[in-house]
Amino acid sequence: MFKWFKDKIAKNGTEETPSVEENKSEEIIEGEKEDVVENIEESISEDVELRENDLEEIEEEVETTTTEEDLKDDFDKVKVESVEEVVEEKEDKAEEKVSLFQRLKQGLSKTRHEMGVKINTVLGAYVKIDDEMLEDLEDILISADIGMKTTMQLIDNLRDTIIEEKINDPSLVKDLLKKEVKKLMNEDLPTEISEEKPTVILVVGVNGVGKTTTIGKLSNKLKMKDKKVIIAAGDTFRAAAIDQLKTWGDRAGVDVISHKEGADPAAVIFDGISAAKSRNCDILICDTAGRLHNKVNLMQELEKINRIIDREYSEANRETLLVLDATTGQNAMNQAKTFMEVTELSGIVLTKLDGTAKGGVVIALQSELQIPIKLVGVGEGIDDLQEFNMDSFIDAIFD
Ligand SMILES: Nc1nc2c(ncn2[C@@H]2O[C@H](COP(=O)(O)OP(=O)(O)OP(=O)(O)O)[C@@H](O)[C@H]2O)c(=O)[nH]1
Ligand SMILES: [Mg+2]
């Protein structure tokens, strides 16, 4: 188009125009100029139109291809990122599970030596299953504090299964025994502690079993789950008990509501409830005294505390956890029976499993009392409290 214009100019500029025609052609030249201008305008507008079309086409192309690809890329990126995140999260959880299990296994090593290792030795010594072998198993279970009643029931059930399924190989017996233990312990019992807002957890048990320590560990555990926790120092028996709880509260970063030594425990719980409400807490944990002279005293005190909670915090979910010291073996069973007579229990915390070979008492407690073990203490550290998992526990003591 510009070439045409250049040609025209060149033509006009180089042609020798006859001078005679000069005057007469002024009009013609003027006309030609107009033609030239018209042509230039036409071609410019054509060119603009063409470029506009090109631009539209390019824009359209860019829009469609880029948007789709970009979207796809973005989507893929998000997909990859979220898959990676999920994988990472799963790996973290698996690692956490493994380390929890290792800690549990380590904590239960004494019980495992008393049970799992001895059971392996007995089963390895027999070529076929007979009554003598079952008697040897019975002795091992009793010495690991599973208790006479639960042991007899386990061995009877095991014998029935062996006969029913016509099993001869002693190496299969351990897995059968694990299955029988699980059945007897009743997998359907609710093992989780209520964490729904608002919840009151009353912690009871005789002195020295680990109530205060458990409260400290549990507060920390709940706090790590972003729960707002508050503690009421309901054991007013000794000033040291209140100080001990405050130390745990500091460690876990949780406030402790307390009165002076000798104050009415129910009044402390009352203040604890008010604080839990006004500070918008999720969970209130109440310590109680274990040093009560007799069953009547214990019953009266727990009744009073329960009345206060019912009256002042009726909307709260309730947990009453009985703390038992695993090192006391069958004595823990007797304590549980006493507490069941004075108050309703929603779960058991079994402490000091790390220091005993009597971990089998877990099986007896849950089977005979049908109260779920909810937490187990496997050491004195703040992280040494675990949610009870029946499968992990059984694996940790039998394998
Ligand atoms: N090894 C071990 N020691 C524990 C565990 N739980 C608690 N203890 C220890 O047991 C002792 C008693 O614990 P406390 O928490 O004071 O017991 P308590 O029931 O509050 O006792 P009172 O306040 O006297 O009624 C402390 O030395 C704790 O460190 C555990 O799981 N393993
Ligand atoms: Mg205490």
Side-chain angles (χ1 to χ4, degrees):
M1 166 261 335
F2 287 111
K3 190 171 172 289
W4 174 88
F5 177 57
K6 271 189 210 159
D7 288 351
K8 192 81 187 169
I9 301 288
K11 209 176 160 197
N12 286 340
T14 50
E15 257 179 20
E16 275 202 17
T17 353
S19 57
V20 263
E21 287 180 336
E22 258 174 22
N23 286 339
K24 122 178 141 136
S25 63
E26 247 179 41
E27 255 176 55
I28 300 170
I29 290 170
E30 216 35 60
E32 277 181 356
K33 270 188 193 168
E34 276 172 19
D35 279 353
V36 170
V37 170
E38 221 171 86
N39 277 325
I40 291 172
E41 281 175 353
E42 229 171 73
S43 36
I44 285 177
S45 76
E46 260 173 33
D47 194 45
V48 167
E49 209 174 298
L50 262 175
R51 273 159 198 265
E52 276 178 355
N53 285 344
D54 281 353
L55 200 65
E56 263 173 36
E57 259 173 43
I58 290 168
E59 270 178 1
E60 213 171 286
E61 199 185 317
V62 167
E63 207 171 274
T64 47
T65 56
T66 313
T67 311
E68 271 177 18
E69 278 182 5
D70 273 0
L71 270 179
K72 197 170 173 300
D73 279 355
D74 284 351
F75 180 70
D76 285 349
K77 223 169 119 197
V78 168
K79 219 163 80 177
V80 168
E81 275 171 8
S82 55
V83 166
E84 277 171 1
E85 264 171 33
V86 170
V87 168
E88 225 168 84
E89 210 176 290
K90 282 206 167 153
E91 278 173 357
D92 285 351
K93 275 195 181 151
E95 267 174 33
E96 201 185 316
K97 241 180 168 174
V98 169
S99 82
L100 272 177
F101 183 66
Q102 288 310 332
R103 294 243 297 270
L104 180 70
K105 218 171 160 180
Q106 200 184 338
L108 288 167
S109 59
K110 287 185 183 160
T111 304
R112 189 170 55 257
H113 278 100
E114 196 60 40
M115 278 180 70
V117 175
K118 284 190 180 172
I119 288 173
N120 284 343
T121 311
V122 164
L123 297 180
Y126 285 87
V127 282
K128 66 177 182 55
I129 298 168
D130 57 21
D131 278 344
E132 210 183 320
M133 191 200 88
L134 291 176
E135 272 167 32
D136 281 353
L137 279 185
E138 202 175 285
D139 290 345
I140 295 169
L141 299 183
I142 288 171
S143 67
D145 254 287
I146 293 188
M148 189 64 84
K149 191 176 163 200
T150 309
T151 300
M152 299 310 269
Q153 209 169 339
L154 271 176
I155 296 293
D156 282 351
N157 294 352
L158 186 65
R159 187 181 284 112
D160 290 349
T161 314
I162 287 169
I163 294 168
E164 254 170 54
E165 296 183 15
K166 299 188 177 70
I167 294 163
N168 288 312
D169 184 355
S171 71
L172 301 174
V173 171
K174 193 160 81 172
D175 277 345
L176 290 183
L177 182 61
K178 283 165 76 173
K179 274 189 201 151
E180 295 301 340
V181 169
K182 234 190 205 182
K183 261 195 250 167
L184 218 54
M185 284 180 80
N186 186 0
E187 273 186 292
D188 299 331
L189 293 173
T191 54
E192 280 175 15
I193 287 180
S194 161
E195 292 172 6
E196 221 174 283
K197 182 182 182 179
T199 289
V200 180
I201 304 175
L202 194 62
V203 180
V204 301
V206 304
N207 59 299
V209 287
K211 296 183 294 297
T212 307
T213 311
T214 297
I215 291 172
K217 294 172 181 173
L218 180 59
S219 305
N220 185 60
K221 214 176 202 357
L222 292 168
K223 205 148 173 249
M224 307 259 268
K225 290 186 183 173
D226 286 332
K227 300 287 174 193
K228 195 159 184 222
V229 180
I230 197 159
I231 299 172
D235 178 3
T236 58
F237 228 77
R238 308 170 286 137
I242 301 167
D243 292 340
Q244 187 196 0
L245 197 59
K246 282 183 181 167
T247 308
W248 272 108
D250 287 344
R251 240 181 262 176
V254 167
D255 287 342
V256 176
I257 304 298
S258 64
H259 287 195
K260 288 208 175 80
E261 181 185 350
D264 179 1
V268 183
I269 307 298
F270 181 93
D271 282 356
I273 293 170
S274 308
K277 283 182 185 170
S278 64
R279 297 181 201 181
N280 202 20
C281 289
D282 298 302
I283 298 159
L284 167 68
I285 309 181
C286 308
D287 197 6
T288 61
R291 235 163 272 255
L292 294 165
H293 305 300
N294 55 45
K295 207 164 121 183
V296 177
N297 277 0
L298 178 69
M299 194 183 295
Q300 282 173 349
E301 180 147 324
L302 292 180
E303 261 177 14
K304 196 169 171 191
I305 290 173
N306 279 326
R307 254 199 326 270
I308 294 285
I309 302 173
D310 286 342
R311 197 183 70 204
E312 302 298 323
Y313 217 9
S314 57
E315 68 273 32
N317 302 297
R318 300 286 299 272
E319 284 278 357
T320 303
L321 300 179
L322 172 65
V323 181
L324 297 170
D325 176 343
T327 62
T328 62
Q330 285 299 302
N331 196 20
M333 176 70 83
N334 296 333
Q335 286 170 25
K337 286 178 180 162
T338 306
F339 272 88
M340 281 171 83
E341 288 169 21
V342 297
T343 188
E344 215 172 287
L345 300 172
S346 61
I348 288 172
V349 182
L350 205 63
T351 62
K352 310 185 199 180
L353 272 168
D354 51 309
T356 183
K358 299 175 172 182
V361 71
V362 171
I363 301 170
L365 284 167
Q366 189 159 315
S367 308
E368 284 186 37
L369 307 177
Q370 290 291 300
I371 298 174
I373 311 284
K374 293 200 168 177
L375 298 164
V376 287
V378 288
E380 289 183 273
I382 199 160
D383 295 323
D384 291 324
L385 185 75
Q386 294 197 2
E387 277 147 20
F388 181 68
N389 178 298
M390 200 191 292
D391 288 325
S392 303
F393 179 82
I394 292 173
D395 286 344
I397 58 169
F398 279 97
D399 291 337

